[in-house]
Amino acid sequence: MLSAEERQEIEAEFAHYPNKEAVCIDAMKIVQRRRGWVSDESLRDIAALLGMSADQLDSVATFYNLIYRKPVGRNVILVCDSVSCWITGYDRLRERLMSVLGIKMGETTPDGRFTLLPIVCLGACDHAPVMMVNNDLHHDVDPGKVEAVLDRYK
Amino acid sequence: MEKVLTKNIRPDLSYVDVQAYESSGGYEGLRKALAMAPGAVTEEVKKSNLRGRGGAGFPTGMKWTFVPMGPDAPSPKYLVANADEMEPGTFKDRLLMEGDPHQLVEGLIVAAYAIQASTAYIFIRGEYFLSEERLRRAIAEAEEKHYLGKNILGSGYNLEMVVHMSGGRYMCGEETGLLNALEGKRANPRTKPPFPQVSGLFGKPTIVQNVETLSNLPHILRNGIEWFKSLSLSVDAGTKIYGVSGKVKRPGLWELPMGTTVREILEEHAGGMQDGLKFRGLLPGGASTDFLVEEHLDVKMDFTEVQKAGSRLGTGTMIVLDDRTCPVGMVRNLEHFFAQESCGWCTPCWSGLSWAEKALEAIEEGKGNAVDLDHLEYICKLCAPGNTFCALAPGAVEPLQSALKYFRADFERHVADKRCPWNHQA
C-alpha cells in the first residue's frame, strides 16, 4: 500500500499535467526515493492510483535507467562508462570498485551497503573519470583513492 | 571577447539569485518582449539568425513560425526546454543551469510568450540534482517577482513553469521521444509529420528547444540582432560554449565567438595534448558526430564549416583521441552506448547497432576478420538518414564510418595481428 505521504506527493503532481498517466514516472520516483526500488506491489498500487494497468506501467518502468525494479543497496554507485571516462581510466576505476566491494557490475554487496551500476555519460567530462554515489557527483576520481570516497557512505 | 551566456557564472559556481541576475540586466529582455506583439518577438529571433544549440542547428525563429497563432489556434500550447544532456562528451547545459538558472528561466518565458504557450516544462536528466535544485529555486523567485504566473508584469500573459526530472534514457533527448516521456510513456520517437510545432505534447502545438539556445534569447531581446550577429566570426550568429574532454592539458568549457577554429580551442584554450601524447582526431560535437583529423584543425567550429569538413558541429563539445588510445576501442565504447540506448523501435537501429558492437568487440579482442570490416561498412549504410524514425542510428554510425575512413590501417592491423596493438603495449 502507498503511504499517505507518497499518495499526497504523487497527487500534488496531477496539477501540472492534463492527465494522470503523465505523472507515472514522477510517481515511481517518489516511491523509489522512500523505498529504494519499485516492487511489483508498489507498481500495482501506483498503476491503480493513476488509472493504468500494471503491465502498462511496467513497460514504462523497464524503459528507464533510473527506475529500479529490483532491490538495491542503501547506497547506489553509478560509474560513468561513456567515452570521455573510458579514455581517461574507466576500466581501472571499474576494476578497483569491483575488487574493493567484492561484487560485479549490477550486483549488491551482501551487507546491503552498496549497489554497483554502470551509467551513461554524466555530463562532467572535463573532470573524467566520474561516478555518482546516491545524489553526489564525484569527479577526477583516482581509482587508488576510491575507498576513501566510499567510506563516507554507510 | 565579450562574455554573454557565462558572464554571471561565478568561478565557485555558487547560486546567482534573482537580485544578482537583475543587476546585470536580467529580465530586461523579457520586459522588452512583453512590450512587443508575440509575432514580432518571433520575427526578431528569426532575424537574429540564432540556430539550435542542441545538435541539429535548426533556425530557432523559423521553428516558431510553424506554430499556429491567433484566436483559432489550438489551446493550450506548450514550450519544453530540452535539458536532457546525455550526449556522451557533452557537459555545457549543466554549466548554464547550475551557474545561471535565471537566464534559462527568462529565455523560456520569452519563447513561451512568442508562441503564446501556457505551460513551459523543463525536462532535466535525472542525474542533474543540482540543476534541479537551482531551477526550482529560480522559478520560485521568478514567481515572487511576477515574471511567472498570472498576468506577468501586468501584460495579461500567463505562464506556469514546471520542472520534470527524467527517468533516464538517451532517447529522451530526441524531440519526439522527449514528448512521449513527458506524457508518461516510453521515449520512442514519433512519426513526422505531424511536426510537434503543430501536434506535439498531448497533441497540442509544442516547441522544444535546447538549454543553450533558450539562454541566448534574453540577450537577443535586450541588445538587438545586430549586436548578436557581431559576436560571431562566421555566418552563424552569437557565441558558442565549446568544450574539450580527453587527454588534453586543460579539459574544460569556454564561451567563444561562434566560428572559433578547432585549433584555437584545442591548443590555446585546452592547452594542447598532455605531454608525451600526440593528437590523432576528435569528435567535434559529442559522440554522434564524424571524426575530424589533423587536416581539419583550421576548420571554423560553426554549423556551416564543420559540415563542409564532413562532420557536424553537434553540441560543440569535442572529445579528443590521442595516440595512446585505441581508435577501435573508442568506437567500440561509442557503439556500446548507442546499442544500449537504442529504444528498439526501428530495426536498422536495434539490430544494426548491436551487430556493430559485436563486430567491434571481436576486432578489438583479436577475433575479427576482414569480413567484419565490410559488415561495419554495410551497417553504416543501413543506418543512414531516412531508414529510421529518428536521428539516433544515423548519429551512431557517424563516428564509426569516419573511423573506418581515417583509422582504417588500425582496424586492419587488429585483424591481421589478431590482437589490439594498444592493449599489449603497456
Side-chain angles (χ1 to χ4, degrees):
Chain A
M1 226 175 61
L2 297 176
S3 71
E5 284 132 25
E6 286 168 334
R7 224 187 143 91
Q8 221 167 33
E9 203 180 328
I10 294 167
E11 285 170 350
E13 289 293 323
F14 289 168
H16 304 309
Y17 300 86
N19 63 51
K20 290 181 180 177
E21 184 186 335
V23 169
C24 75
I25 295 163
D26 288 310
M28 289 189 285
K29 291 180 98 173
I30 287 166
V31 170
Q32 183 169 290
R33 207 177 299 135
R34 291 181 167 81
R35 307 182 184 205
W37 66 299
V38 180
S39 68
D40 288 354
E41 192 204 339
S42 301
L43 192 88
R44 280 193 292 269
D45 292 341
I46 297 167
L49 181 64
L50 303 182
M52 299 168 74
S53 75
D55 286 342
Q56 189 191 356
L57 184 60
D58 203 17
S59 81
V60 177
T62 53
F63 187 87
Y64 293 99
N65 299 334
L66 302 175
I67 306 287
Y68 305 139
R69 287 285 282 117
K70 286 181 184 172
V72 293
R74 293 193 298 281
N75 304 288
V76 177
I77 306 171
L78 300 174
V79 196
C80 174
D81 69 357
S82 290
V83 64
S84 303
C85 285
W86 179 80
I87 290 173
T88 52
Y90 159 73
D91 283 331
R92 271 180 295 126
L93 178 57
R94 181 197 54 194
E95 293 307 318
R96 183 75 190 138
L97 282 165
M98 292 196 303
S99 101
V100 167
L101 297 170
I103 53 173
K104 295 199 190 77
M105 297 299 282
E107 294 180 349
T108 300
T109 53
D111 62 0
R113 187 170 158 207
F114 288 109
T115 295
L116 183 60
L117 297 172
I119 191 76
V120 294
C121 182
L122 287 170
C125 319
D126 49 345
H127 292 289
V130 298
M131 64 179 195
M132 288 185 81
V133 185
N134 305 332
N135 292 6
D136 309 329
L137 182 72
H138 297 274
H139 49 65
D140 304 295
V141 182
D142 176 350
K145 292 178 185 155
V146 85
E147 278 167 290
V149 175
L150 298 184
D151 272 349
R152 292 184 233 165
Y153 301 91
K154 300 298 170 192
Chain B
M1 191 240 38
E2 187 177 358
K3 296 268 186 271
V4 180
L5 301 173
T6 54
K7 74 172 189 302
N8 293 332
I9 297 179
R10 297 168 178 160
D12 66 353
L13 266 183
S14 59
Y15 181 70
V16 175
D17 67 9
V18 70
Q19 281 82 14
Y21 182 67
E22 283 171 333
S23 70
S24 73
Y27 290 107
E28 279 176 24
L30 173 64
R31 285 176 198 276
K32 278 200 178 173
L34 292 175
M36 296 159 73
V41 176
T42 298
E43 195 55 30
E44 189 83 351
V45 173
K46 198 171 148 191
K47 281 196 212 142
S48 79
N49 208 6
L50 173 67
R51 294 177 64 173
R53 305 297 200 237
F58 195 84
T60 304
M62 168 108 74
K63 193 194 265 187
W64 300 358
T65 62
F66 303 140
V67 175
M69 297 296 288
D72 300 330
S75 169
K77 291 186 260 188
Y78 296 107
L79 176 71
V80 181
N82 184 345
D84 190 57
E85 185 166 67
M86 282 184 82
E87 176 78 17
T90 301
F91 47 106
K92 66 183 180 69
D93 294 339
R94 179 202 280 276
L95 176 76
L96 292 171
M97 290 189 282
E98 293 179 356
D100 198 4
H102 275 286
Q103 179 173 252
L104 173 60
V105 170
E106 185 184 1
L108 272 159
I109 307 168
V110 168
Y113 174 75
I115 63 162
Q116 292 287 293
S118 56
T119 305
Y121 292 98
I122 309 179
F123 189 101
I124 307 180
R125 70 170 296 185
E127 297 90 342
Y128 277 16
F129 291 102
L130 187 58
S131 299
E132 175 191 17
E133 184 193 311
R134 296 226 163 142
L135 279 160
R136 287 193 193 279
R137 194 167 157 190
I139 289 168
E141 288 177 341
E143 283 170 348
E144 199 148 297
K145 290 263 184 176
H146 302 287
Y147 297 131
L148 275 172
K150 301 272 181 219
N151 191 19
I152 295 172
L153 299 176
S155 64
Y157 174 61
N158 308 326
L159 179 68
E160 186 199 8
M161 197 170 287
V162 179
V163 169
H164 176 94
M165 295 304 286
S166 175
R169 195 75 188 259
Y170 179 60
M171 269 305 297
C172 298
E174 197 277 337
E175 187 176 52
T176 60
L178 186 154
L179 298 177
N180 279 333
L182 258 181
E183 291 183 11
K185 300 180 174 120
R186 295 165 76 92
N188 295 328
R190 295 179 180 176
T191 316
K192 290 188 272 193
F195 288 90
Q197 294 92 315
V198 178
S199 175
L201 189 62
F202 305 108
K204 302 295 183 186
T206 305
I207 288 289
V208 182
Q209 299 284 179
N210 165 264
V211 168
E212 187 183 351
T213 313
L214 290 161
S215 297
N216 273 288
L217 298 171
H219 307 287
I220 294 172
L221 268 293
R222 189 157 77 97
N223 300 322
I225 53 181
E226 290 314 315
W227 166 86
F228 187 67
K229 286 182 180 171
S230 76
L231 296 169
S232 159
L233 300 172
S234 85
V235 292
D236 300 324
T239 64
K240 178 78 192 76
I241 298 186
Y242 295 110
V244 180
S245 65
K247 291 189 175 172
V248 294
K249 286 204 180 86
R250 293 189 301 272
L253 292 168
W254 306 273
E255 183 181 14
L256 298 168
M258 179 68 90
T260 304
T261 64
V262 176
R263 189 186 297 281
E264 184 186 327
I265 297 166
L266 187 65
E267 294 178 0
E268 286 182 32
H269 301 284
M273 302 305 293
Q274 288 177 11
D275 291 335
L277 297 181
K278 287 200 182 78
F279 170 82
R280 288 213 67 198
L282 57 81
L283 303 172
S288 61
T289 56
D290 284 272
F291 276 98
L292 296 180
V293 293
E294 191 89 38
E295 68 190 78
H296 302 119
L297 284 178
D298 293 310
V299 167
K300 285 181 169 186
M301 281 284 282
D302 66 18
F303 296 104
T304 314
E305 296 300 317
V306 180
Q307 194 161 7
K308 278 189 201 157
S311 185
R312 291 186 304 116
L313 177 65
T315 60
T317 41
M318 309 171 180
I319 308 157
V320 178
L321 170 69
D322 60 88
D323 66 336
R324 293 286 296 274
T325 299
C326 173
V328 177
M330 177 170 170
V331 176
R332 175 191 175 185
N333 175 278
L334 294 168
E335 298 313 316
H336 165 73
F337 167 83
F338 289 115
Q340 172 186 291
E341 293 298 310
S342 170
C343 73
W345 195 245
C346 312
T347 306
C349 184
W350 69 256
S351 176
L353 297 181
S354 12
W355 279 111
E357 186 191 355
K358 284 194 177 75
L360 288 162
E361 185 184 314
I363 296 167
E364 177 70 355
E365 289 178 357
K367 296 171 198 152
N369 56 53
V371 179
D372 288 323
L373 299 185
D374 298 338
H375 188 198
L376 288 172
E377 301 270 13
Y378 170 74
I379 291 170
C380 292
K381 291 195 185 82
L382 183 76
C383 291
N387 292 348
T388 53
F389 276 80
C390 87
L392 190 149
V397 297
E398 285 180 29
L400 176 59
Q401 69 193 11
S402 48
L404 286 167
K405 180 172 155 193
Y406 295 121
F407 310 121
R408 185 90 195 178
D410 297 309
F411 281 82
E412 287 169 349
R413 203 171 144 202
H414 278 74
V415 171
D417 296 356
K418 294 278 172 209
R419 67 182 182 88
C420 171
W422 279 267
N423 278 348
H424 291 256
Q425 260 179 3

